[in-house]
Amino acid sequence: MNNKIEKLQQIIDDGKRIVFFTGAGVSTDSGIPDFRSQDGLYNQKYKYPPEEIISHSFYLKDPEEFYRFYKDKMLNLTAEPNITHKFIADLEKTGKCTGVVTQNIDGLHQKAGSQKVYELHGSVLRNYCTKCHKSFSAQYIKDSSGIPYCDHCGAIIKPDVVLYEEGLDQDVLYGAIEAIANADVLIILGTSLVVYPAAGLIRYFHGSHLVLINRSITPYDSQADLLINDSFQNVFPKLIAR
């Protein structure tokens, strides 16, 4: 393992345009559950399967049940960035990290200090009225009783997150593609790489080094120049952003 971390440090030191592609596994050390691990949301029992609850059609059909699950399991407003978020932000300050493409909706990359973040699936921190488009904070959603309604026009509020059956924001998508296409190093962290179209963005990478760090196997393991199957807590404390 030490040899792999030394190799990763060398790749980072030599890189000039490093892009990170992050998934839910990056935020588990901050206390936010992922989706597909043994203890993830998809393996917990609810009245409906979580993947059904966080779909656009379910949100329209049963917003009360949607928000019960959403506020209980997806609004983790006390979570703080962990060492992985902080390392990425520190590397951006050196000029080496040119972007973060994330499937996460928790805003922890920005909270750690990252500026160039492409949130493929939106953010729980942004919410808007479906009628007058007034913006609302995540705390407003959390504090609401049942379904959150606009205090201006009374319409239902929707989180600015991409639910199942919804398309990605095209501006964010194109920005992510451009960042990946121009990178000389792509470091993939904490994602199963099975959710499309997000996982398909990797095909735009044509740089020198593809690094994949994840606890479990992914469909892209064989394509990685460096593969580390371990906890981020065993990797990032040993790296230096320089």
Side-chain angles (χ1 to χ4, degrees), residues 40-75:
L41 292 179
Y42 285 177
N43 291 309
Q44 299 182 32
K45 302 301 182 183
Y46 295 92
K47 185 178 179 181
Y48 302 93
E51 59 265 39
E52 179 180 348
I53 297 175
I54 53 177
S55 67
H56 181 75
S57 56
F58 191 93
Y59 161 79
L60 295 176
K61 178 182 69 175
D62 193 346
E64 186 170 3
E65 182 66 16
F66 168 86
Y67 269 112
R68 188 182 73 83
F69 174 86
Y70 178 81
K71 287 190 275 189
D72 184 39
K73 295 298 179 182
M74 300 182 72
L75 276 185

Side-chain angles (χ1 to χ4, degrees), residues 20 32 35 42 49 88 108 114 120 126 144-145 176-177 179 183 189 218 221:
F20 289 84
I32 297 178
F35 285 82
Y42 285 177
I88 294 171
L108 290 182
S114 292
L120 295 175
R126 299 186 299 269
S144 64
S145 177
I177 290 172
L189 305 174
T218 80
D221 285 4

Side-chain angles (χ1 to χ4, degrees), residues 20-40:
F20 289 84
F21 185 104
T22 67
V26 170
S27 293
T28 55
D29 289 331
S30 294
I32 297 178
D34 65 2
F35 285 82
R36 289 177 172 78
S37 69
Q38 183 176 352
D39 299 318

Side-chain angles (χ1 to χ4, degrees), residues 2-3 14 18 28 44-45 52 63 66 87 90 95 113 123 130 133-135 138 150 165 172 176 202 223 225-226 237:
N2 285 336
N3 289 339
D14 292 343
I18 302 172
T28 55
Q44 299 182 32
K45 302 301 182 183
E52 179 180 348
F66 168 86
F87 177 86
D90 287 344
S123 172
T130 54
H133 305 294
K134 180 179 177 180
S135 297
C150 177
E165 305 164 349
V172 174
I202 295 168
Q223 299 182 30
D225 299 295
L226 177 61

Side-chain angles (χ1 to χ4, degrees), residues 16-237:
K16 293 180 174 60
R17 299 179 307 280
I18 302 172
V19 169
F20 289 84
F21 185 104
T22 67
V26 170
S27 293
T28 55
D29 289 331
S30 294
I32 297 178
D34 65 2
F35 285 82
R36 289 177 172 78
S37 69
Q38 183 176 352
D39 299 318
L41 292 179
Y42 285 177
N43 291 309
Q44 299 182 32
K45 302 301 182 183
Y46 295 92
K47 185 178 179 181
Y48 302 93
E51 59 265 39
E52 179 180 348
I53 297 175
I54 53 177
S55 67
H56 181 75
S57 56
F58 191 93
Y59 161 79
L60 295 176
K61 178 182 69 175
D62 193 346
E64 186 170 3
E65 182 66 16
F66 168 86
Y67 269 112
R68 188 182 73 83
F69 174 86
Y70 178 81
K71 287 190 275 189
D72 184 39
K73 295 298 179 182
M74 300 182 72
L75 276 185
N76 299 280
L77 303 185
T78 59
E80 293 294 329
N82 58 56
I83 192 168
T84 307
H85 297 109
K86 293 174 182 176
F87 177 86
I88 294 171
D90 287 344
L91 197 64
E92 186 184 87
K93 293 173 185 174
T94 71
K96 284 179 171 286
C97 176
T98 56
V100 180
V101 178
T102 186
Q103 296 171 287
N104 297 340
I105 59 175
D106 51 44
L108 290 182
H109 281 299
Q110 292 93 327
K111 198 170 186 179
S114 292
Q115 301 292 319
K116 301 172 185 175
V117 183
Y118 301 94
E119 295 174 308
L120 295 175
H121 297 154
S123 172
V124 299
L125 302 181
R126 299 186 299 269
N127 306 272
Y128 63 92
C129 172
T130 54
K131 184 178 180 181
C132 72
H133 305 294
K134 180 179 177 180
S135 297
F136 292 88
S137 68
Q139 194 64 52
Y140 183 93
I141 304 300
K142 189 81 170 178
D143 293 342
S144 64
S145 177
I147 302 170
Y149 292 103
C150 177
D151 59 5
H152 176 68
C153 73
I156 189 172
I157 297 170
K158 184 183 182 297
D160 188 15
V161 298
V162 179
L163 304 177
Y164 284 109
E165 305 164 349
E166 294 181 337
L168 303 187
D169 180 282
Q170 292 301 294
D171 290 339
V172 174
L173 179 61
Y174 292 143
I177 290 172
E178 184 176 16
I180 291 172
N182 291 325
D184 61 359
V185 177
L186 179 62
I187 302 177
I188 302 172
L189 305 174
T191 172
S192 59
L193 294 176
V194 297
V195 176
Y196 284 81
L201 299 186
I202 295 168
R203 72 178 185 271
Y204 292 99
F205 176 67
H206 303 291
S208 304
H209 296 287
L210 177 64
V211 178
L212 211 161
I213 307 175
N214 201 44
R215 290 184 180 89
S216 56
I217 62 172
T218 80
Y220 288 84
D221 285 4
S222 61
Q223 299 182 30
D225 299 295
L226 177 61
L227 175 65
I228 299 177
N229 291 126
D230 204 343
S231 158
F232 299 127
Q233 293 290 337
N234 291 333
V235 175
F236 283 90

